[in-house]
């Protein structure tokens, strides 16, 4: 009986993932497809590949410079190396001083709330500052991903704060996690 339930649950999860046709969007670009396509789409939106920073990152990550919410930002894109599929993208905005950090954080939080609504958000404390998580639903009310918003102090310079907005696509993250466990 346990095996039948486990099989049915696995079948349901697989059907839910394969039925997902909508993906979370970062800068209007769906977190879907391979890293090369995603990089081309970022370039078309004015982002520039950051070779120096990318060389410092682990495999499966690339860095770009561009604008997020009208602020200069470092973008980090995560992708599965085996499947070559993008599953997460993050914008990091460097702010001089906590006051500016709070202002940028609240501005972005307001934009996210107006787009996704306060009912789909969670609030917590991370790194000594409020953080928010927004669940992204398809029109059929299926979770397709999430967006996390948080602020940290820059470890290299105590006068700077980093406002981070992280977009994760659920289906592609699960695929990446399955691939990682198979590779072990």
């Amino acid at each position: 009986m346990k095996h039948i339930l486990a099989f049915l649950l696995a079948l349901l999860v697989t059907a839910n993932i394969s039925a997902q046709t909508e993906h979370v969007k970062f800068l209007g670009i769906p977190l879907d497809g391979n890293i090369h396509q995603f990089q081309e789409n970022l370039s078309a939106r004015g982002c520039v590949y950051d070779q120096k920073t990318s060389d410092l990152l682990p495999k499966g990550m690339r860095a770009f410079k561009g604008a997020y919410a009208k602020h200069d930002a470092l973008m980090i894109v995560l992708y599965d190396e085996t499947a070559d599929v993008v599953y997460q993208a993050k914008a990091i905005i460097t702010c001089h001083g906590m006051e500016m950090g709070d202002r940028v954080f609240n501005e972005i939080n307001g934009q996210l709330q107006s787009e996704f609504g306060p009912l789909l958000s969670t609030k917590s404390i991370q790194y000594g500052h409020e953080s928010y998580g927004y669940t992204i639903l398809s029109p059929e009310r299926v979770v397709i991903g999430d967006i996390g918003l948080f602020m940290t102090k820059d470890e290299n310079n105590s006068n700077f704060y980093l406002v981070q907005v992280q977009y994760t696509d659920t289906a592609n993250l699960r695929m990446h996690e399955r691939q990682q466990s198979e590779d072990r």
Side-chain angles (χ1 to χ4, degrees):
M1 184 67 171
K2 276 186 178 178
H3 298 293
I4 293 171
L5 288 174
F7 174 75
L8 290 174
L9 181 60
L11 189 61
L12 181 61
V13 167
T14 303
N16 187 28
I17 290 172
S18 62
Q20 178 179 335
T21 57
E22 190 174 345
H23 292 271
V24 172
K25 293 179 181 176
F26 177 77
L27 298 178
I29 308 165
L31 292 177
D32 187 26
N34 68 47
I35 183 63
H36 306 290
Q37 293 165 330
F38 198 81
Q39 184 168 334
E40 285 177 16
N41 287 327
L42 280 176
S43 294
R45 285 175 176 70
C47 297
V48 177
Y49 178 64
D50 183 344
Q51 181 72 51
K52 232 185 236 189
T53 303
S54 292
D55 288 344
L56 299 172
L57 296 172
K59 290 182 178 185
M61 298 173 83
R62 290 196 186 166
F64 301 85
K65 291 181 181 174
Y68 179 89
K70 299 180 182 175
H71 297 280
D72 289 338
L74 174 67
M75 276 44 135
I76 306 292
V77 178
L78 287 76
Y79 63 98
D80 184 275
E81 287 184 89
T82 305
D84 200 30
V85 174
V86 173
Y87 62 89
Q88 189 175 82
K90 176 192 296 195
I92 304 168
I93 301 165
T94 302
C95 302
H96 191 305
M98 183 181 260
E99 188 175 307
M100 181 183 173
D102 283 336
R103 190 170 55 250
V104 170
F105 179 92
N106 291 328
E107 171 190 318
I108 293 172
N109 187 47
Q111 292 171 359
L112 292 172
Q113 277 188 2
S114 68
E115 185 171 351
F116 300 109
L119 297 176
L120 300 177
S121 66
T122 57
K123 181 178 173 181
S124 64
I125 302 294
Q126 248 185 358
Y127 308 105
H129 193 277
E130 288 180 345
S131 65
Y132 295 93
Y134 292 89
T135 303
I136 311 304
L137 301 176
S138 71
E140 297 80 26
R141 309 285 297 160
V142 175
V143 174
I144 61 169
D146 62 78
I147 300 173
L149 171 64
F150 55 97
M151 187 167 82
T152 60
K153 197 168 197 174
D154 188 331
E155 293 177 5
N156 299 318
N157 188 329
S158 61
N159 294 324
F160 290 95
Y161 290 80
L162 307 173
V163 175
Q164 302 185 45
V165 191
Q166 179 175 294
Y167 291 68
T168 305
D169 186 86
T170 299
N172 290 348
L173 176 62
R174 286 181 183 155
M175 180 275 313
H176 169 69
E177 290 169 341
R178 276 195 311 275
Q179 188 64 46
Q180 292 291 95
S181 67
E182 290 173 9
D183 290 346
R184 289 183 195 155

